[in-house]
Amino acid sequence: ITVVQEREPLGTAGALAQLKDKINEPCLVIYGDLIFDINLQRLVEFHESKSADLTLVCHPNDHPADSDILEVDLEKRVTAILQYPHGPELFYRNRVNAAIYVMTPKILNLLEKRKCDLAKDFFPKILASERVFAYQTPEFLKDMGTPKRMAEVEAALKNQLPARWNLGNERPAVFFDRDGTLCEYVPNLACVSDLKLKPEAAKVLSGLNKAGVLAFVVTNQPMIAKGFLNYSELEHIHRKLETELGRRGVWVDGIYFCPHHPEQGFKGEVKELKIQCNCRKPKTGMLDEIARRFRIDRKRSFMVGDSWRDIEAGKNFGIRTIGIKNGEGWQNHSDPDYTVDNLQDISTIVLDFVNECGELKEDA
């Protein structure tokens, strides 16, 4: 261990600049106020697969409003860093900069020995010129920057959450349909103002988040194939969804959608999306993709939805299913494993079952 000390405060970038020309291979940069347990091998493999100059670890958290948010493109390349505080009119993905980086000597040697902050000053200046990517993880990673967060970290350590959330372990998950399940049903939803969370959604997700149960949205979006909605508009809708959840102190670990639709004949339709695909529910393409990215414990996982497509997708994927009767698309012949009257009723079913099977304790 070599300790390098500042003679005067230089900020995170200025302090790190003292290592210029002293490191000749990629290195991990980790802030000292973090408690985390992440699979570093996966992080390094991602960094190498992108031929990245710099990789920023990010994650969803329960306080994105006072966190720096990463904007990324389809290749996971960082395009912008939204610095807090965020205005009430801004919608964003809950993709929080976690203060763990894989940094090459090339990036280290760009630093200057002057007072400067990595996230606020240095990173934004190099996004256009260097290969900067975001690695998103659902693993346990929390700063201890306030007394409240310190207490939360201590409780998590007592319940062994950091070790259990590592991607080296399988984790239970709940897959939610979007419209009529997690959000109010709006026919052919294409306007961001029409998206409204169900009142009980935050409470349900809070229980799952605290217990370490992964939560994903999997939604059919044939409106794209029909030409009624484009990718940019759908992204704005999903930004609103993650922002509204974040404002309530909860999150989902990912939103996945199918843009395809098999039937042709709509004016303005996108013909290349008018196909028989493997991702449109009741097929399992979206769930399969999630399973490849995360280690899902199917024995303790659930699909929740209000239509037969949701229930059949869960069955085809080999997990338990919960049907919500008050959803717009509910049909009795779906025959789920459990039937509930509203979204709130699923919490007890999921957490009781997960506890019984895996002795998973909810964080206090």
Side-chain angles (χ1 to χ4, degrees):
I1 297 174
T2 300
V3 177
V4 180
Q5 187 172 355
E6 303 156 290
R7 293 183 179 179
E8 60 183 29
L10 294 173
T12 52
L16 201 59
Q18 296 177 109
L19 300 178
K20 288 178 67 167
D21 302 319
K22 295 181 180 179
I23 294 178
N24 56 15
E25 59 185 335
C27 62
L28 285 168
V29 177
I30 303 169
Y31 287 9
D33 63 348
L34 299 177
I35 287 290
F36 65 95
D37 191 331
I38 69 174
N39 190 312
L40 294 175
Q41 185 63 38
R42 283 184 175 230
L43 167 59
V44 172
E45 288 174 356
F46 173 87
H47 174 82
E48 293 175 344
S49 72
K50 297 295 185 180
S51 298
D53 298 315
L54 172 67
T55 295
L56 313 181
V57 175
C58 60
H59 67 134
N61 74 10
D62 58 5
H63 55 98
D66 63 358
S67 305
D68 291 337
I69 303 292
L70 304 184
E71 296 267 79
V72 305
D73 62 18
L74 294 177
E75 299 301 317
K76 307 303 182 185
R77 188 163 183 166
V78 179
T79 58
I81 299 177
L82 306 179
Q83 298 175 359
Y84 72 91
H86 310 296
E89 73 287 348
L90 179 67
F91 294 146
Y92 48 81
R93 291 298 187 111
N94 190 339
R95 192 183 291 115
V96 172
N97 180 27
I100 294 181
Y101 314 122
V102 182
M103 191 174 291
T104 59
K106 177 183 179 181
I107 299 298
L108 274 172
N109 291 333
L110 292 175
L111 295 167
E112 298 179 12
K113 294 180 182 179
R114 60 180 178 84
K115 191 168 185 179
C116 182
D117 184 83
L118 284 173
K120 295 188 181 301
D121 304 317
F122 179 69
F123 291 160
K125 292 181 179 179
I126 67 170
L127 294 182
S129 60
E130 311 302 332
R131 293 180 59 79
V132 182
F133 288 84
Y135 173 80
Q136 184 162 343
T137 177
E139 295 165 295
F140 190 92
L141 202 165
K142 198 169 185 66
D143 75 83
M144 300 176 288
T146 68
K148 178 177 181 292
R149 292 176 201 166
M150 174 72 82
E152 291 171 347
V153 164
E154 289 177 346
L157 288 171
K158 288 179 182 178
N159 286 332
Q160 300 180 330
L161 290 188
R164 290 210 309 265
W165 291 16
N166 187 289
L167 282 175
N169 304 317
E170 289 188 338
R171 287 174 64 181
V174 177
F175 302 89
F176 292 94
D177 175 48
R178 193 189 77 182
D179 303 316
T181 301
L182 203 60
C183 302
E184 301 289 356
Y185 179 79
V186 176
N188 300 320
L189 193 154
C191 181
V192 67
S193 62
D194 289 336
L195 183 87
K196 294 180 175 59
L197 283 173
K198 284 191 172 181
E200 63 272 26
K203 184 175 182 181
V204 170
L205 286 170
S206 178
L208 300 180
N209 294 160
K210 291 177 179 178
V213 178
L214 297 169
F216 300 97
V217 174
V218 287
T219 174
N220 290 346
Q221 289 298 314
M223 297 279 284
I224 293 180
K226 294 176 182 179
F228 301 154
L229 182 70
N230 61 40
Y231 287 107
S232 178
E233 291 166 333
L234 181 62
E235 170 66 13
H236 196 47
I237 289 170
H238 287 160
R239 284 172 182 244
K240 179 182 179 180
L241 174 56
E242 292 202 17
T243 301
E244 293 293 340
L245 291 172
R247 288 171 179 169
R248 292 161 174 78
V250 299
W251 67 86
V252 291
D253 295 284
I255 300 176
Y256 292 75
F257 65 91
C258 168
H260 307 110
H261 190 259
E263 299 173 8
Q264 299 186 16
F266 294 86
K267 184 179 179 180
E269 67 186 12
V270 183
K271 291 188 177 181
E272 59 267 28
L273 297 178
K274 288 291 186 172
I275 61 172
Q276 292 284 352
C277 64
N278 291 320
C279 53
R280 179 174 167 82
K281 294 177 293 185
K283 294 183 178 179
T284 62
M286 289 184 284
L287 286 77
D288 293 333
E289 182 179 351
I290 293 169
R292 285 191 293 269
R293 171 67 180 82
F294 306 90
R295 296 197 65 193
I296 303 300
D297 182 353
R298 300 194 191 200
K299 293 180 180 179
R300 296 189 293 163
S301 296
F302 291 80
M303 177 74 211
V304 181
D306 67 328
S307 81
W308 68 271
R309 288 186 178 87
D310 304 318
I311 304 307
E312 291 304 313
K315 290 181 177 180
N316 292 336
F317 189 62
I319 58 178
R320 285 170 171 75
T321 56
I322 303 176
I324 302 178
K325 289 199 296 186
N326 70 352
E328 186 69 23
W330 174 252
Q331 297 181 35
N332 289 330
H333 69 260
S334 299
D335 193 26
D337 295 295
Y338 304 88
T339 302
V340 297
D341 292 324
N342 55 65
L343 182 63
Q344 185 171 330
D345 293 340
I346 78 162
S347 292
T348 301
I349 294 173
V350 172
L351 295 178
D352 282 355
F353 185 84
V354 167
N355 281 325
E356 181 180 348
C357 292
E359 297 181 354
L360 183 62
K361 296 180 180 179
E362 184 176 349
D363 187 12

